[in-house]
Amino acid sequence: MTEATNEAAQPQMKMSILAQFVRDMSFENAVALNGLQSPEVQPEMQVQVSLDARKRPAEHQYEVITKFKITSTNKATNSALYLLELDYGGIFHIEGVPEDQMHPFLLIECPRQLFPYVRRIVSDVTRDGGFPPFNLDPVDFVALYRAELARRAEAQKASEALVN
């Protein structure tokens, strides 16, 4: 068998983004609501990321939602500055990914494709909300996926220990 024939026998992986959308977004500006409590502001940021994926009814289509919760507090007074929650989704057409690799593909590669858009929205919303634009650091979706697998394994062990 030649190399060209061998490549033809392997299914080609194909991925395209069919749509992207903001599913839910909330920006709460505590400074506008309560006023600035102290002239000394030392912003401290906390970013939480979670992911969700599901198969859609159409063949080879999947929906992936990235969920970001960004909290900014004034380190000097421990008071809230703002809270931004963003659920950003994409609809993907994916072919040629083996079934045993689909779950990590959906929760690693698809969020990587959406991240630049999420980053831009977060930057624009924080700037438009009266704060310096917040530029999200790149997210290590592989580490996030592995941490979730480890968390699930621990939860499974804990539930098995309760049963026994």
Side-chain angles (χ1 to χ4, degrees):
M1 196 183 289
T2 67
E3 192 174 319
T5 308
N6 199 12
E7 286 179 18
Q10 300 263 341
Q12 284 287 85
M13 194 285 295
K14 296 178 187 172
M15 178 181 76
S16 57
I17 302 173
L18 302 177
Q20 295 182 59
F21 54 94
V22 173
R23 186 170 77 179
D24 190 25
M25 185 172 69
S26 169
F27 182 75
E28 298 172 21
N29 184 336
V31 173
L33 295 173
N34 305 325
L36 193 56
Q37 306 300 328
S38 167
E40 184 180 335
V41 178
Q42 300 171 352
E44 185 171 65
M45 307 301 292
Q46 181 182 5
V47 178
Q48 295 173 312
V49 182
S50 60
L51 304 168
D52 190 23
R54 67 178 183 90
K55 174 85 175 87
R56 292 175 52 90
E59 189 175 11
H60 304 296
Q61 285 190 14
Y62 300 86
E63 179 178 302
V64 176
I65 302 293
T66 60
K67 300 174 183 183
F68 288 81
K69 181 178 180 181
I70 301 161
T71 307
S72 177
T73 56
N74 185 353
K75 192 175 181 179
T77 62
N78 203 29
S79 59
L81 297 173
Y82 66 81
L83 170 64
L84 171 60
E85 295 175 307
L86 173 63
D87 292 3
Y88 190 79
I91 298 174
F92 295 84
H93 180 93
I94 302 169
E95 292 184 55
V97 175
E99 191 62 36
D100 64 332
Q101 296 174 17
M102 185 60 79
H103 190 254
F105 187 87
L106 289 172
L107 296 178
I108 295 170
E109 190 54 39
C110 294
R112 279 185 189 156
Q113 299 297 316
L114 298 175
F115 182 76
Y117 303 97
V118 169
R119 187 175 197 204
R120 175 68 186 267
I121 291 168
V122 167
S123 178
D124 288 351
V125 168
T126 54
R127 183 200 62 227
D128 292 349
F131 296 92
F134 179 61
N135 292 313
L136 280 170
D137 288 334
V139 174
D140 184 348
F141 290 106
V142 173
L144 193 65
Y145 181 76
R146 287 179 180 156
E148 179 61 17
L149 288 181
R151 187 196 66 75
R152 287 183 184 185
E154 282 298 315
Q156 180 71 22
K157 283 182 189 176
S159 68
E160 287 174 1
L162 288 175
V163 172
N164 295 333

